[in-house]
Amino acid sequence: MDTRVTLDNKETFFKILRDLHAAEAKASLLYDNNGLTRYEGLIIDITDTPKHCLLLQGGLEIPLSSVIAVNGIFAPDYSEC
């Protein structure tokens, strides 16, 4: 069994993503798009209307709720494989 670094059940990726955006640092994401999808690049904006969404380099927009992992840190539901 492989164990991964995960968020606490009460944490979200919002702070990590906000910090990456503010630092103009590259993000490595894994998100659910009817299957796991990878993205690596810059976060252009984080919107909050009507839900929190990430606007990524290249024009891709994904809901924050679909993010599974950020820079090797996984959501609690994905702690083991």
Side-chain angles (χ1 to χ4, degrees):
M1 177 171 41
D2 182 22
T3 304
R4 299 176 174 161
V5 176
T6 62
L7 294 175
D8 183 280
N9 284 330
K10 298 176 187 173
E11 292 178 298
T12 68
F13 289 115
F14 184 77
K15 182 182 181 321
I16 296 169
L17 294 166
R18 185 188 64 207
D19 291 348
L20 288 168
H21 176 251
E24 297 181 9
K26 188 184 287 186
S28 294
L29 306 177
L30 189 61
Y31 66 97
D32 188 353
N33 184 24
N34 295 319
L36 296 181
T37 305
R38 294 178 189 266
Y39 169 82
E40 190 168 329
L42 297 176
I43 300 168
I44 304 303
D45 197 11
I46 302 173
T47 65
D48 61 359
T49 307
K51 301 181 205 178
H52 286 293
C53 287
L54 301 175
L55 179 59
L56 304 172
Q57 188 176 29
L60 180 64
E61 187 172 342
I62 63 169
L64 183 59
S65 61
S66 72
V67 176
I68 308 281
V70 177
N71 292 358
I73 301 170
F74 285 77
D77 293 346
Y78 292 84
S79 62
E80 297 179 4
C81 67

